[in-house]
Amino acid sequence: MLDRDLASDLSPLPRLDLPGLLTALSPYLVLAAVVLLGVAVGHLLRTRRRLERTLAEAARAKAALAESEEQFRTLAEMAAAAIFVYRDGRFLMANPAMTAITGYSRDEILAMTQMDIVHPDHRVAVMNRALARQRGEDVPDRYEVKLLTKNGETRWVDMSAGSITFQGHPASIGTAFDITERKKDQERIHFMAQHDTLTGLPNRALFADRLEQALLLARRAATRVALLFLDLDDFKPVNDTFGHAEGDLLLKETARRMRQRLREADTVGRIGGDEFVILLAPVRSATDAAQVAEEIRREIERPFDLPGGRRQISCSVGVAVFPEHGDAAMDLSKHADMAMYRAKSLGRNRVEVYREGSPEDGGG
């Protein structure tokens, strides 16, 4: 009974008229489609405009970069300083001043690395500098370095370096001013401060420094050093009779003869008008030092053929040896000087080795 009542209450559902519903909704669907289409089109247009602006900005940036690089190249071509661009140690650009300093053509430079033109004496220092920069250490942007030119000459340059963007990629730029002549002037000034202007021999200050260094090494190695004091006999009459020009030539030739008789490790210096000093380091004994002194005496005794005629002089030589005749430079100098005056007092034109207790030493 209950089931029949429930069944009678469940009437059939009405049928959905889908075509009719679509017909009724079609205006709204069309409107929605139009709206969606408009949104999509608007989005596409905005995207297109943004893309066009981006492309336009990129084109302007590219044009500006090209113009900037062109201006840079123009300025570089006109610059008196060497200008070059490099990346990973290889050259990307070099201006005419760079080719003038190095002697290489532009094409040759572009096929080279930095180290190819750095002088061998400075390659390690330049490499260490580059590594320090890579480690982020504080490295000065400016430094002086020697270059080796195509024909083998040495050129000094004042170098500066920095970072740039070149052809759209990070790179380094360098500038170099040729300071070779300035360096030569500095070397000449330094040389003149330490050498006799007439003979080119070390002066008193440089000779004293070399003597101290030789004594320091001799103490460490337990070797001997000999100090010779040499004074020309009767040089003043040459100056007075034949003039200072003739005397200067004689002094220069005397210096040449002494250098010729000595080893490369030995030093001869001029400390006065006709006074010379000789450092023999090392030397085996006082006898060997006296033998060298005798060879020099005989060499100076030979006639000098000068423009004004043949001249003949002699010399007196005193010898003192470390450590027998003194442990300090002052003692050796004093004793070599005393031995030289003993040679003069015994008739000149001879060699005397310092002897403790001699009259010059205050002995009997």
Side-chain angles (χ1 to χ4, degrees), residues 262-276:
L262 296 174
R263 301 167 298 182
E264 187 175 350
D266 299 329
T267 299
V268 55
R270 183 184 178 210
I271 59 173
D274 58 357
E275 297 176 319
F276 297 85

Side-chain angles (χ1 to χ4, degrees), residues 51-67:
L51 180 59
E52 288 174 346
R53 283 197 300 269
T54 301
L55 292 175
E57 291 171 358
R60 286 194 295 271
K62 184 177 180 180
L65 179 61
E67 181 180 2

Side-chain angles (χ1 to χ4, degrees), residues 91-362:
F91 292 105
L92 303 177
M93 188 281 291
N95 72 339
M98 180 69 169
T99 66
I101 290 177
T102 63
Y104 291 102
S105 69
R106 195 191 306 263
D107 289 340
E108 287 175 324
I109 292 175
L110 297 183
M112 301 168 71
T113 68
Q114 274 184 290
M115 290 301 148
D116 291 332
I117 64 170
V118 174
H119 194 282
D121 293 348
H122 283 196
R123 284 175 184 166
V124 173
V126 171
M127 182 64 72
N128 290 338
R129 179 187 178 87
L131 293 174
R133 185 182 293 274
Q134 290 176 7
R135 291 192 297 266
E137 298 178 14
D138 187 16
V139 179
D141 291 331
R142 184 174 174 181
Y143 59 103
E144 295 178 355
V145 63
K146 285 196 297 185
L147 303 183
L148 190 64
T149 67
K150 185 176 181 179
N151 62 5
E153 292 183 357
T154 297
R155 307 295 296 181
W156 276 95
V157 295
D158 186 334
M159 188 89 73
S160 298
S163 300
I164 62 168
T165 297
F166 186 77
Q167 297 175 343
H169 299 282
S172 297
I173 182 172
T175 60
F177 291 88
D178 192 338
I179 58 171
T180 304
E181 292 306 315
R182 189 182 82 191
K183 279 291 185 179
K184 287 181 179 179
D185 289 341
Q186 291 175 348
E187 289 172 0
R188 280 192 289 268
I189 293 172
H190 182 70
F191 182 87
M192 290 171 62
Q194 295 188 318
H195 293 79
D196 172 51
T197 55
L198 177 64
T199 63
L201 296 177
N203 60 16
R204 187 185 296 270
L206 179 57
F207 187 89
D209 180 69
R210 291 189 179 177
L211 176 58
E212 291 288 357
Q213 294 299 320
L215 291 175
L216 181 64
L217 292 175
R219 292 186 190 101
R220 290 176 179 174
T223 56
R224 289 182 172 84
V225 170
L227 179 61
L228 282 56
F229 268 44
L230 184 151
D231 188 82
L232 300 182
D233 302 324
D234 298 322
F235 174 74
K236 189 175 183 299
V238 175
N239 258 350
D240 294 343
T241 305
F242 305 105
H244 288 285
E246 193 87 349
D248 287 349
L249 289 175
L250 193 148
L251 288 172
K252 291 170 70 173
E253 178 61 17
T254 298
R256 188 194 68 80
R257 290 186 182 184
M258 285 191 286
R259 280 195 301 253
Q260 199 172 38
R261 281 289 174 180
L262 296 174
R263 301 167 298 182
E264 187 175 350
D266 299 329
T267 299
V268 55
R270 183 184 178 210
I271 59 173
D274 58 357
E275 297 176 319
F276 297 85
V277 283
I278 299 170
L279 173 64
L280 305 178
V283 67
R284 287 182 296 182
S285 65
T287 301
D288 286 347
Q291 182 177 347
V292 174
E294 179 62 23
E295 291 175 0
I296 293 173
R297 186 200 64 78
R298 288 198 298 265
E299 187 68 27
I300 293 176
E301 190 180 32
R302 289 192 304 107
F304 291 82
D305 290 319
L306 302 176
R310 175 167 285 197
R311 313 286 178 235
Q312 189 162 10
I313 60 172
S314 62
C315 67
S316 299
V317 188
V319 180
V321 177
F322 166 87
E324 289 92 330
H325 303 146
D327 186 63
M330 184 177 296
D331 294 334
L332 279 181
S333 299
K334 176 184 175 182
H335 294 157
D337 189 49
M338 292 170 60
M340 184 267 294
Y341 276 105
R342 177 174 173 80
K344 282 190 174 292
S345 68
L346 293 176
R348 303 185 178 186
N349 193 24
R350 60 186 293 137
V351 174
E352 284 292 320
V353 177
Y354 172 74
R355 289 183 296 168
E356 190 174 356
S358 65
E360 292 77 13
D361 192 34

Side-chain angles (χ1 to χ4, degrees), residues 39-111:
V39 171
V41 170
H43 178 72
L44 289 173
L45 290 175
R46 287 192 299 274
T47 301
R48 178 181 176 180
R49 284 195 293 269
R50 284 197 297 268
L51 180 59
E52 288 174 346
R53 283 197 300 269
T54 301
L55 292 175
E57 291 171 358
R60 286 194 295 271
K62 184 177 180 180
L65 179 61
E67 181 180 2
S68 176
E69 289 189 359
E70 184 61 29
Q71 291 174 348
F72 165 73
R73 289 181 184 275
T74 301
L75 292 173
E77 292 293 311
M78 299 168 56
I83 299 177
F84 52 94
V85 177
Y86 58 98
R87 184 185 298 121
D88 298 329
R90 303 202 70 86
F91 292 105
L92 303 177
M93 188 281 291
N95 72 339
M98 180 69 169
T99 66
I101 290 177
T102 63
Y104 291 102
S105 69
R106 195 191 306 263
D107 289 340
E108 287 175 324
I109 292 175
L110 297 183

